Amino acid sequence: MKISPQVAMTLRQIMLMNFGFFGIQYSFGLQQTAINPIFNFLNPDPSILPYLNMAGPVTGLIVQPIIGAMSDRTWVPGLGRRRPYFLIGAIGCSLCLFLYPHVTALWMAVLLLWLLDISNNTAMEPFRAFIADTVPENQQSTGFLMQSVFTGLGITLANISLYLLKQVGWLNQTSEVGIPYWVFGSFYIGAVCSIGSVLVTVLTTPEREPSPQEMAAIKAQPRGPVHAIKDIYSAIKEMPKPLWQLASVYLFQWYALFIYWQYISHSLVKSVWDSTSADKVAYQEAVAWTGLVNGFYNVVTFISAFGLMWMARKYAAKYVHAFAVTLAALALLSIPHIGNKYLMFVPMIGFGVGWASMMGVPFMIVVNSIPKERYGVYMGIVNMMIVIPMFIQTLTFSKVYEKLLGADPANAMTFAGVFLAIAAALTLTIRTAAKPATAE
């Protein structure tokens, strides 16, 4: 059966087409919570953590827009336009996750992070365009926010697995370099989830076959990374104003989020355990609790995405996003002032609602400004708007942390909260456009 963008889809169809997002986000959940602790088990200076995390912004900046542009020009019989990239990325991701906890040196951990990020970005980018290609316009809010649902589910299970496996006594033994075996178990589960969930999507959701005119246009376009880069340059020059406005929102939003992921365990070990990451016992407790806290906010993400679907049908998407990001800002501002580890779940409610919006609503804000035949490249450019702030954070925040914030992780959380508040205010300035005409 071929899916037509004019035919309404059932909720089950929309869920199946997004199920691959579950495995991808399980992997990202491990990156958010477990990668930096693995770095710390290998004893780097905490001030260089932003540099060790350069893989995320650099690979996202390069890989996602190129994959997006290439997928616009792709049609593989039996697979389609976007699904070949899902498969390639998921295979690479599974291999990297299986190997990651076996690292024995910091350089090995950094190299595998680069390969893992390349694979994740290859799999994830076409999913955005997949929704725009396949789901009818009046159901696209459900399509994009269903990705938030599976984002919440995948990251939740990744983080909860870290906590639950730590409770298994014999898994608290460590490898020769000090990485606990409960970390190994979480990464092995991720390797299975990555390829397994993507296969569900690939096997259950066919892509809409192009019309003869569309197929001729695809075949007429030059292929390869060089031509994809030219297409990216052209698309940026012609980019609609709402996307430029979204870029200003993302500058503050994603700078703040990268601070959170890098420093949350350092903040918790200070505010809850009254210690520092130099205390290995306290830090392991903080890392495990961070996994539980992050898992909880992703449970909230999973649940609140359904509420955001309802809100998006009643209110303009930019108001929904501004509201949700404001809740996330208030959450980060409160974290350094909470000394009870159980009360740490309260601000994570607001952060989870914000994260649900960040993973779906911005695409709803701008999708009507994007020409249909360029969904892939523009979804890749939207991801550039995510990773450029991360790259800026990677290059600048180490000095900000040491010189301006006194190397205090509590101050880092406050700084990130202020940036999220600015992002929420800028969201209200976005002017959306009517759906542009598409080339025949």
Side-chain angles (χ1 to χ4, degrees):
M1 180 186 70
K2 296 174 184 174
I3 294 176
S4 168
Q6 285 75 42
V7 176
M9 299 179 69
T10 65
L11 183 62
R12 179 177 179 273
Q13 285 177 307
I14 293 175
M15 292 178 69
L16 287 172
M17 74 180 296
N18 281 297
F19 191 68
F21 226 64
F22 162 70
I24 295 169
Q25 294 302 323
Y26 188 109
S27 175
F28 273 115
L30 290 177
Q31 284 185 240
Q32 290 174 15
T33 303
I35 294 296
N36 282 300
I38 286 178
F39 287 158
N40 280 302
F41 290 134
L42 298 171
N43 299 312
D45 183 333
S47 68
I48 70 168
L49 282 177
Y51 301 120
L52 298 181
N53 282 271
M54 284 186 69
V58 173
T59 57
L61 180 65
I62 296 171
V63 173
Q64 285 215 26
I66 289 178
I67 293 297
M70 289 176 64
S71 69
D72 281 341
R73 302 158 183 256
T74 296
W75 185 262
V76 177
L79 278 179
R81 176 177 290 172
R82 317 295 181 184
R83 292 185 299 169
Y85 299 94
F86 301 167
L87 280 174
I88 293 169
I91 291 169
C93 181
S94 293
L95 291 173
C96 290
L97 287 173
F98 181 81
L99 294 172
Y100 209 99
H102 294 275
V103 297
T104 57
L106 188 60
W107 70 266
M108 295 171 64
V110 173
L111 175 61
L112 266 181
L113 177 58
W114 280 79
L115 295 173
L116 178 61
D117 251 316
I118 289 170
S119 299
N120 273 331
N121 281 300
T122 299
M124 187 176 73
E125 197 287 332
F127 262 100
R128 307 294 191 192
F130 192 43
I131 295 297
D133 287 341
T134 309
V135 179
E137 269 188 58
N138 63 348
Q139 292 183 295
Q140 285 185 355
S141 61
T142 302
F144 284 120
L145 283 167
M146 191 60 69
Q147 294 187 346
S148 297
V149 170
F150 284 115
T151 294
L153 182 61
I155 298 179
T156 294
L157 293 182
N159 286 291
I160 289 177
S161 73
L162 290 166
Y163 179 79
L164 293 180
L165 291 176
K166 187 180 185 300
Q167 310 313 307
V168 180
W170 64 271
L171 289 177
N172 280 276
Q173 300 177 56
T174 65
S175 66
E176 291 183 4
V177 297
I179 299 174
Y181 287 122
W182 49 269
V183 174
F184 282 67
S186 293
F187 275 78
Y188 292 163
I189 293 170
V192 174
C193 287
S194 179
I195 188 62
S197 65
V198 166
L199 282 173
V200 169
T201 289
V202 169
L203 295 174
T204 61
T205 310
E207 296 193 54
R208 181 182 68 88
E209 187 171 327
S211 67
Q213 294 85 357
E214 290 172 328
M215 186 68 78
I218 291 172
K219 291 181 177 179
Q221 294 180 25
R223 290 173 171 74
V226 173
H227 294 290
I229 292 170
K230 291 180 180 178
D231 194 23
I232 295 165
Y233 176 72
S234 170
I236 292 173
K237 286 178 61 179
E238 301 165 8
M239 192 160 72
K241 186 176 180 180
L243 274 79
W244 286 111
Q245 293 174 311
L246 182 65
S248 68
V249 173
Y250 273 13
L251 174 62
F252 291 93
Q253 176 179 296
W254 289 97
Y255 194 110
L257 288 174
F258 224 37
I259 294 171
Y260 172 83
W261 291 324
Q262 290 169 1
Y263 289 95
I264 180 59
S265 60
H266 294 277
S267 179
L268 289 188
V269 77
K270 179 184 178 182
S271 64
V272 175
W273 280 269
D274 195 26
S275 188
T276 69
S277 57
D279 181 344
K280 295 299 183 185
V281 174
Y283 185 65
Q284 279 204 39
E285 291 295 325
V287 168
W289 201 257
T290 297
L292 200 59
V293 165
N294 285 352
F296 176 74
Y297 88 66
N298 280 285
V299 170
V300 175
T301 295
F302 172 75
I303 296 169
S304 64
F306 293 100
L308 292 177
M309 290 179 196
W310 174 82
M311 290 182 67
R313 288 194 290 267
K314 292 181 66 71
Y315 306 103
K318 68 177 183 180
Y319 296 120
V320 176
H321 190 61
F323 165 75
V325 174
T326 298
L327 293 181
L330 293 173
L332 294 196
L333 290 171
S334 67
I335 283 173
H337 307 289
I338 299 174
N340 184 308
K341 66 181 182 179
Y342 296 103
L343 289 180
M344 199 62 67
F345 292 103
V346 176
M348 290 299 101
I349 296 172
F351 194 81
V353 175
W355 182 235
S357 182
M358 293 171 201
M359 294 306 295
V361 176
F363 301 97
M364 296 159 49
I365 296 174
V366 299
V367 69
N368 284 342
S369 302
I370 301 173
K372 174 183 174 183
E373 64 276 6
R374 304 188 84 177
Y375 279 149
V377 66
Y378 273 116
M379 291 300 175
I381 289 171
V382 169
N383 190 70
M384 290 174 68
M385 299 175 190
I386 295 172
V387 298
I388 288 174
M390 289 183 172
F391 189 68
I392 294 171
Q393 191 270 352
T394 298
L395 294 178
T396 63
F397 193 70
S398 181
K399 293 297 183 185
V400 172
Y401 183 68
E402 290 182 318
K403 305 297 183 183
L404 181 63
L405 304 179
D408 186 337
N411 291 339
M413 289 296 105
T414 301
F415 188 90
V418 170
F419 265 38
L420 283 183
I422 295 171
L426 288 173
T427 300
L428 298 175
T429 69
I430 298 176
R431 289 195 166 191
T432 55
K435 186 68 178 175
T438 59
E440 295 296 332

